[in-house]
Amino acid sequence: DSVILLDNLLDRYTQPSVDFVVVQNLGRGTDFSRFQKSDTFHKVINREALIIELPKLQSKLTQKIDFNNSSFWAVANDKSIMNIAERQRMKVWLRNTYEQLAQLG
């Protein structure tokens, strides 16, 4: 369980010089309420970790990426992999994801 792994990391790396980034991957689930009510979440807040959300990618696009063993960039730009609408959806998803990652500094 990822929460248990995160809790172990928080306990192991207590130095103030260690920064944590918690990614809530909306592609793997949308309900983070159990995590947000957990002691681990409170540890994350107390450590001033950055919490970002990775946007959900449409299932059809995810399947095509997996099937073609492609990178996100390739899917967004290669006309032989996706049609124009799918490439545009991918570009929007990438832009939203990069905006989240930009918070890391």
Side-chain angles (χ1 to χ4, degrees):
D1 181 42
S2 57
V3 175
I4 293 170
L5 292 172
L6 175 59
D7 194 63
N8 291 340
L9 285 171
L10 290 165
D11 288 342
R12 183 173 181 183
Y13 298 101
T14 59
Q15 306 90 333
S17 61
V18 177
D19 295 326
F20 284 89
V21 176
V22 176
V23 178
Q24 295 182 146
N25 185 350
L26 297 175
R28 297 290 182 195
T30 57
D31 183 6
F32 296 99
S33 61
R34 285 184 52 206
F35 169 61
Q36 292 164 347
K37 293 176 185 173
S38 71
D39 291 337
T40 302
F41 180 78
H42 294 289
K43 286 183 188 179
V44 166
I45 297 301
N46 290 336
R47 287 291 300 269
E48 298 180 0
L50 183 60
I51 301 173
I52 64 173
E53 285 188 349
L54 187 64
K56 182 176 181 176
L57 183 60
Q58 291 180 341
S59 298
K60 183 178 177 183
L61 295 178
T62 303
Q63 291 170 357
K64 278 193 170 183
I65 292 167
D66 289 344
F67 179 78
N68 289 296
N69 197 26
S70 299
S71 68
F72 294 127
W73 183 91
V75 170
N77 294 284
D78 188 338
K79 294 178 181 179
S80 68
I81 298 174
M82 301 259 182
N83 65 40
I84 191 167
E86 292 169 329
R87 288 194 314 275
Q88 185 59 34
R89 285 187 201 103
M90 191 70 224
K91 288 176 184 179
V92 169
W93 183 86
L94 280 171
R95 185 173 51 247
N96 292 337
T97 300
Y98 288 142
E99 287 172 2
Q100 288 291 314
L101 294 175
Q103 294 181 46
L104 301 177

